[in-house]
Amino acid sequence: MTELCLQPAYRLVDQLRTGKVSAVELLEAQVARMERRNPALNAVVATDLEGARARALEADAKRARGEPCGALHGLPMTIKDSLEVAGMVTACGAPSLKEHRPARNAAAVQRLLDAGANIFGKTNVPLFAGDVQTFNPVYGTTNNPWNVERTPGGSSGGAAAALAAGMTTLELGSDLAGSIRTPAHFCGVYGHKPSYGIVPTRGHIPGPPGMLSEPDLSVVGPLARSAQDLALMLPIVAGPIAPMSSGWKLELPRPRRASLREYRVQAWLDDPACAVDASMKPTLEAAVEAVRRAGAEVATGAPAGISLAEIYDLYFALLGALFAGGLPEKVYGRARMAGAAASMFGRDHVNTLPGFLARATLSHRDYLKLHEKRERLKQKFEVLFASCDVLLLPVTRTPAPPHNQKGEIYGRRITVNGQAEPYASQFAWIAPATLAGLPATSAPVGRTTDGLPVGIQIVGAFCEDLGTIDFARLLGEVHGGFVAPP
């Protein structure tokens, strides 16, 4: 049953449909593997095994009766612990929520259940999903299955670790600051950040439980062990919710090309504003070379008129504005004073806490100016994708770094090319797609000489999600792809 647990979900769905494996058998295989592997990783932090076993029995009975079945009928899976699942604890790593059992499912979770998925567990996140690592005071630290001394990333770190270790078949994550793409890159699995707004985020924490509005920049999307699994899951969770669904429909365009040799590719693998560690560069370059050998037209370097430094500064400001909206009044007041002081004395540098607070407490008037800059950036990407099909980027500056839980994120450092650099600079390469609301697929393309996974980020035009996912599939046929951790 071990090999069964490492198969891609689309194959498991087919085996469930044909009766080669039952929902009960598959669930028990997943539970057995989880019980063996999870103690070393701490990726799955809450379960409903009694309920899952009952649902698996009913799934098999329903199929035996010949009743209509959804696309994921009987498939056991887990959900990131920032997304509400009715009746299961959704703590998001916060002591204040460790007893929170929502009465309703998050909108995207409900769609998975309607498609027949059997949710048996929740996966770990950092406190309020707010870190590039995964640790919190409720459930502790999640380890990377390739090296337990290193982080699986965040905030979907438990999700990516569980997938890589074969403890789940599919995962639903969320991404505001690379929270799907970074863990996928660190753990050697696939992850997809959808175009902004196509998957409902209602039922995600943060904001607070019960929040109805859709936050800026943030998305919900799939993680998996194959690109085909991303393509299986995305159409299930995508689409408007009521009342918009009464008049609006989502129809994602098909991929632009059918083979790698037809693609026009822009590969932007490094930048003076945010250098990539030398341990990753040969792996990234080998992936681009494989695309070139397959016949694709490949241009290299930054796209004309697009600056990573400018993108990151703008992203940093809008991220701060989103963060500040949830602060209590007294805390916000102190943040305003700290931010004003930082600006006054010229200490509002990007990647620092004072700089973050200075941007987080800008006036609404200033926010509107920043939003206009974002709209102009989107136009630049429209021009880019008129002449190329996909943009290839690193996901972060480094492979998975060692655990570092000292202080807040803006006080930490990472090592890049032998130099100490701001920890928060890991957000820089995910900023273009997040800021412009574009689809971005993280695909595994190999490992460093130290054996750590390396992913590449495939960015496409707005709503061309199926195209970036299919490019990941085609790339995996000639280079890279999921490999189970040793």
Side-chain angles (χ1 to χ4, degrees):
M1 282 299 186
T2 298
E3 289 303 315
L4 181 68
C5 293
L6 288 170
Q7 291 185 29
Y10 76 94
R11 289 183 180 161
L12 295 173
V13 166
D14 188 59
Q15 292 178 53
L16 287 166
R17 180 182 56 80
T18 59
K20 186 175 180 180
V21 67
S22 71
V24 169
E25 289 171 333
L26 183 53
L27 173 64
E28 293 303 333
Q30 291 288 180
V31 171
R33 188 173 178 91
M34 178 188 69
E35 290 175 344
R36 289 195 307 273
R37 299 300 177 101
N38 198 51
L41 300 179
N42 191 36
V44 180
V45 292
T47 59
D48 175 23
L49 300 185
E50 181 179 349
R53 286 176 170 129
R55 290 188 292 271
L57 283 167
E58 176 54 29
D60 287 335
K62 183 176 181 178
R63 196 181 294 278
R65 294 192 296 265
E67 297 178 17
C69 297
L72 302 179
H73 186 78
L75 187 74
M77 65 176 292
T78 52
I79 298 289
K80 180 181 181 180
D81 195 40
S82 58
L83 287 152
E84 292 184 316
V85 176
M88 293 185 68
V89 172
T90 302
C92 202
S96 60
L97 293 174
K98 65 182 180 180
E99 303 298 333
H100 173 56
R101 294 180 182 269
R104 298 183 63 180
N105 295 304
V109 169
Q110 186 61 54
R111 289 174 174 176
L112 292 171
L113 293 170
D114 292 343
N118 186 2
I119 297 170
F120 69 91
K122 303 295 291 295
T123 51
N124 206 20
V125 298
L127 176 65
F128 286 122
D131 207 324
V132 199
Q133 303 176 89
T134 293
F135 69 97
N136 63 68
V138 178
Y139 296 122
T141 300
T142 297
N143 298 319
N144 191 310
W146 287 87
N147 183 335
V148 295
E149 300 299 318
R150 293 177 180 261
T151 179
S155 59
S156 306
L163 277 165
M167 296 191 291
T168 188
T169 63
L170 281 176
E171 254 286 351
L172 184 65
S174 56
D175 192 311
L176 168 64
S179 289
I180 288 172
R181 291 163 284 169
T182 298
H185 156 52
F186 285 174
C187 293
V189 297
Y190 288 82
H192 181 71
K193 183 205 88 67
S195 297
Y196 178 76
I198 71 167
V199 179
T201 61
R202 188 172 294 177
H204 185 275
I205 300 171
M211 180 175 171
L212 297 180
S213 59
E214 301 270 327
D216 192 15
L217 302 171
S218 184
V219 300
V220 167
L223 295 97
R225 285 190 293 270
S226 77
Q228 292 94 321
D229 291 349
L230 300 179
L232 169 69
M233 187 170 165
L234 181 64
I236 293 171
V237 297
I241 56 176
M244 291 182 291
S245 57
S246 63
W248 294 4
K249 304 299 177 188
L250 177 68
E251 186 175 343
L252 296 174
R254 303 304 304 167
R256 293 184 181 185
R257 313 295 174 192
S259 65
L260 282 179
R261 68 176 180 272
E262 300 174 59
Y263 269 90
R264 301 165 300 170
V265 177
Q266 180 84 30
W268 183 12
L269 300 184
D270 208 350
D271 195 279
C274 193
V276 172
D277 193 72
S279 66
M280 290 201 319
K281 289 185 71 174
T283 311
L284 294 170
E285 289 167 352
V288 173
E289 182 58 30
V291 170
R292 184 182 282 111
R293 286 199 309 270
E297 177 186 323
V298 180
T300 58
I306 294 178
S307 161
L308 184 62
E310 291 177 5
I311 287 173
Y312 184 46
D313 189 73
L314 180 54
Y315 165 75
F316 197 63
L318 292 176
L319 179 67
L322 176 63
F323 171 81
L327 291 178
E329 194 63 36
K330 289 184 179 179
V331 177
Y332 180 72
R334 292 196 293 270
R336 285 190 66 182
M337 288 189 289
S343 297
M344 184 180 300
F345 294 105
R347 296 175 182 169
D348 55 344
H349 304 296
V350 73
N351 290 329
T352 66
L353 182 59
F356 184 73
L357 295 176
R359 290 162 176 81
T361 53
L362 293 171
S363 69
H364 184 60
R365 178 174 180 269
D366 289 330
Y367 172 84
L368 292 176
K369 291 180 180 179
L370 296 175
H371 179 61
E372 177 61 22
K373 285 186 177 181
R374 170 169 45 182
E375 293 303 306
R376 293 178 183 275
L377 174 68
K378 288 180 180 179
Q379 280 196 335
K380 290 183 179 180
F381 277 110
E382 287 177 19
V383 171
L384 170 66
F385 289 119
S387 59
C388 89
D389 300 313
V390 293
L391 172 65
L392 303 183
L393 305 171
V395 181
T396 64
R397 305 184 71 179
T398 69
H403 296 293
N404 180 357
Q405 301 175 4
K406 296 177 182 178
E408 44 79 22
I409 192 170
Y410 295 102
R412 301 185 204 134
R413 293 291 183 267
I414 53 168
T415 301
V416 181
N417 296 323
Q419 302 294 318
E421 297 281 355
Y423 205 92
S425 67
Q426 292 282 59
F427 296 140
W429 284 102
I430 60 86
T434 300
L435 186 62
L438 302 176
T441 305
S442 179
V445 291
R447 286 166 296 286
T448 67
T449 55
D450 291 336
L452 297 173
V454 176
I456 200 164
Q457 191 179 178
I458 304 158
V459 181
F462 184 70
C463 275
E464 294 195 21
D465 296 68
L466 299 180
T468 64
I469 291 172
D470 198 57
F471 186 91
R473 177 187 67 82
L474 293 169
L475 176 59
E477 291 178 355
V478 299
H479 189 86
F482 171 74
V483 175

